[in-house]
């Protein structure tokens, strides 16, 4: 196998767009999709805003027998996978089933399905619990259902590292390609906007209590006071370069060129957080000098401490205002394991168009030495992109994406 791993297909389902083109049309102009929670009654909760996917009906995309077996997150993942394979131009027989695999990430699994079946257990008894509960709640269910639907009989797995998981899944897929797989479907998804999932998120203590959609999620802003959850994610088709050429892949969005991951030290140890080292490892893996990076897609936690740590890491590597930084997730909220794969899709589309999407609603605090792209998109030559993601528990991940001529 060749050294290069190429992205040949993308599928995305996000609060501000279903499908890559709809998503990009909204993102490039800064369309906000954060609003009051509608999927359950959140009026009694201290946090009441989310980035929800509206207008998605699984029955319009999936076989009727599959819908009652699956949680909303799996339905979203399956549809995004269909779009990614269509984008890659894959036809039956192009790649042998045992040469194709799948690795996804999830931080919560099928939360709403599990909630509904637990309600049945408590209120009606065990006989009324669906047999599908045995797998529909599980973190690995998306990988399993994608592999079954698309006859991917090669390597399979799931990564669980919160918001960093989506990048970790891409890296694991690249490892499998380097071991001999010809094609891997990979990405991440979360959709836990239900009362059970909401209670779990509130317990983390990171959600904003603001009721103003346009001023609720404000990374790197003086008024940053927490996060807004969202739902969705993205699936990418990765291929070995030689294999992609052999089957006549019609589209190459870019190269997954580098990856680095670290864990933060124990709180109170006095040691530096691990994000800077993850960036350094990713750049080294890609044989990339910091000066070659055209834009950084930030994790953008939206809390004072985490924003400070990320800004310090970016500044340490690139220098004060040394590289454009953006966080288009301010339009959608934080999508859990789906956030970073959506950022990867944004990065690849930014490479395609030569346009850096904006960080909406944010007024950059003078406390940060960042060249943050705000208010409107910025035209630029985008050839190399760094995407960052951090997960609760100290996970740090970074990937480098590169244009392919």
């Amino acid at each position: 196998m060749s050294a290069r791993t190429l992205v040949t297909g993308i599928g995305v389902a996000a609060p501000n767009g279903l499908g890559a083109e709809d998503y990009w049309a909204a993102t490039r102009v800064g369309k906000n999709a954060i609003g009051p929670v509608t999927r359950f009654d959140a009026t009694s909760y201290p946090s009441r805003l989310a980035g929800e996917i509206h207008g998605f009906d699984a029955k319009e995309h999936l076989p009727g027998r599959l819908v009652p077996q699956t949680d909303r997150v799996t339905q979203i993942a399956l549809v995004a996978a269909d779009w990614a394979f269509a984008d890659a131009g894959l036809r039956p027989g192009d790649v042998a089933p045992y040469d194709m695999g799948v690795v996804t990430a999830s931080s919560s699994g099928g939360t709403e399905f599990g909630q509904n079946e637990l309600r049945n257990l408590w209120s009606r008894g065990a006989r009324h619990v669906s047999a599908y509960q045995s797998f529909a709640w599980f973190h690995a269910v998306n990988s399993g259902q994608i592999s079954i639907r698309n006859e991917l009989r090669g390597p399979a797995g799931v990564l669980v590292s919160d918001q960093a998981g989506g990048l970790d899944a891409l890296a694991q897929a690249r490892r499998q390609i380097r071991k001999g797989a010809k094609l891997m479907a990979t990405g991440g998804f979360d959709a836990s906007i239900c009362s059970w999932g909401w209670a779990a998120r509130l317990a983390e203590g990171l959600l904003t209590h603001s009721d103003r959609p346009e001023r609720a999620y404000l990374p790197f802003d003086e008024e940053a006071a927490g996060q807004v959850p969202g739902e969705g994610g993205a699936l990418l088709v990765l291929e070995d370069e030689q294999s992609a050429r052999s089957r006549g892949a019609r589209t190459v969005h870019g190269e997954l060129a580098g990856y680095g991951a670290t864990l933060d030290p124990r709180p109170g140890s006095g040691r530096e957080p691990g994000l800077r080292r993850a960036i350094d490892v990713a750049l080294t893996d890609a044989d990339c000098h910091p000066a070659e990076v055209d834009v950084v897609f930030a994790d953008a936690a939206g809390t004072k401490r985490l924003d400070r740590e990320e800004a310090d890491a970016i500044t340490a590597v690139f220098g004060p205002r040394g590289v454009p930084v953006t966080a288009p997730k301010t339009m959608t909220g934080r999508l859990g394991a789906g956030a970073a794969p959506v950022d990867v899709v944004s990065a690849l589309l930014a490479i395609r168009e030569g346009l850096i999407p904006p960080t909406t609603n944010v007024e950059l605090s003078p406390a940060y030495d960042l060249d943050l792209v705000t208010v409107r998109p910025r035209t630029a030559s985008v050839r190399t992109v760094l995407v960052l993601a951090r997960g609760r528990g100290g996970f740090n991940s970074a990937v480098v994406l590169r244009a392919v001529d």
Side-chain angles (χ1 to χ4, degrees), residues 38-368:
T38 64
R39 292 195 55 78
F40 70 101
D41 184 1
T43 54
S44 64
Y45 293 83
S47 298
R48 294 175 290 273
L49 296 177
E52 295 180 331
I53 296 176
H54 297 290
F56 175 82
D57 184 351
K59 295 177 183 178
E60 296 178 358
H61 303 279
L62 300 173
R65 61 173 177 77
L66 193 55
V67 174
Q69 301 179 25
T70 49
D71 181 78
R72 178 176 173 85
V73 69
T74 303
Q75 295 163 6
I76 291 169
L78 286 168
V79 173
D82 288 350
W83 291 335
F85 280 110
D87 182 51
L90 281 162
R91 301 178 302 272
D94 279 353
V95 182
Y98 286 97
D99 287 332
M100 300 186 291
V102 55
V103 178
T104 65
S106 174
S107 63
S108 60
T111 307
E112 189 172 21
F113 196 104
Q115 170 186 285
N116 292 338
E117 297 313 312
L118 284 173
R119 182 182 290 119
N120 286 338
L121 175 64
W122 295 333
S123 63
R124 303 171 66 191
R127 291 184 180 182
H128 297 276
V129 175
S130 168
Y132 301 126
Q133 167 67 2
S134 61
F135 59 81
W137 69 272
F138 193 43
H139 294 78
V141 66
N142 297 336
S143 289
Q145 292 285 12
I146 290 170
S147 68
I148 293 168
R149 180 169 170 79
N150 297 283
E151 297 189 9
L152 311 179
R153 298 178 182 174
V158 62
L159 276 296
V160 183
S161 45
D162 193 44
Q163 188 105 352
L167 298 188
D168 296 338
L170 267 64
Q172 177 65 6
R174 186 180 68 157
R175 291 188 194 102
Q176 295 296 345
I177 287 174
R178 288 179 170 180
K179 289 180 179 180
K182 292 183 178 179
L183 180 151
M184 294 293 295
T186 183
F189 300 88
D190 270 311
S192 58
I193 302 178
C194 59
S195 55
W196 186 17
W198 209 251
R201 294 300 304 271
L202 286 169
E204 297 175 355
L206 297 176
L207 300 191
T208 179
H209 293 177
S210 172
D211 282 327
R212 299 172 58 197
E214 72 284 357
R215 290 293 291 167
Y217 177 32
L218 303 171
F220 309 115
D221 191 299
E222 197 71 31
E223 296 182 17
Q227 305 171 356
V228 173
E231 60 179 354
L235 195 91
L236 294 84
V237 175
L238 302 187
E239 295 186 68
D240 170 79
E241 182 178 20
Q242 180 180 337
S243 299
R245 291 184 183 278
S246 295
R247 76 167 183 87
R250 68 184 186 187
T251 303
V252 175
H253 295 284
E255 176 194 1
L256 179 56
Y259 165 75
T262 60
L263 278 172
D264 286 338
R266 176 179 55 82
S269 68
R271 295 165 54 201
E272 178 185 10
L275 182 59
R276 176 182 176 178
R277 188 159 55 89
I279 296 171
D280 289 338
V281 171
L283 292 174
T284 299
D285 184 39
D287 192 22
C288 177
H289 189 276
E292 298 176 55
V293 175
D294 298 306
V295 60
V296 174
F297 280 71
D299 175 69
T303 71
K304 292 290 198 301
R305 178 180 65 83
L306 294 173
D307 286 352
R308 167 51 62 196
E309 290 175 358
E310 184 171 27
D312 286 350
I314 294 171
T315 302
V317 174
F318 298 98
R321 300 180 178 270
V323 64
V325 177
T326 190
K329 60 173 65 70
T330 54
M331 307 172 207
T332 63
R334 291 174 69 83
L335 311 185
V342 171
D343 276 347
V344 168
V345 169
S346 298
L348 295 169
L349 296 174
I351 289 172
R352 183 187 74 180
E353 186 168 345
L355 188 79
I356 301 172
T359 307
T360 56
N361 304 323
V362 171
E363 298 176 11
L364 178 64
S365 167
Y368 304 111

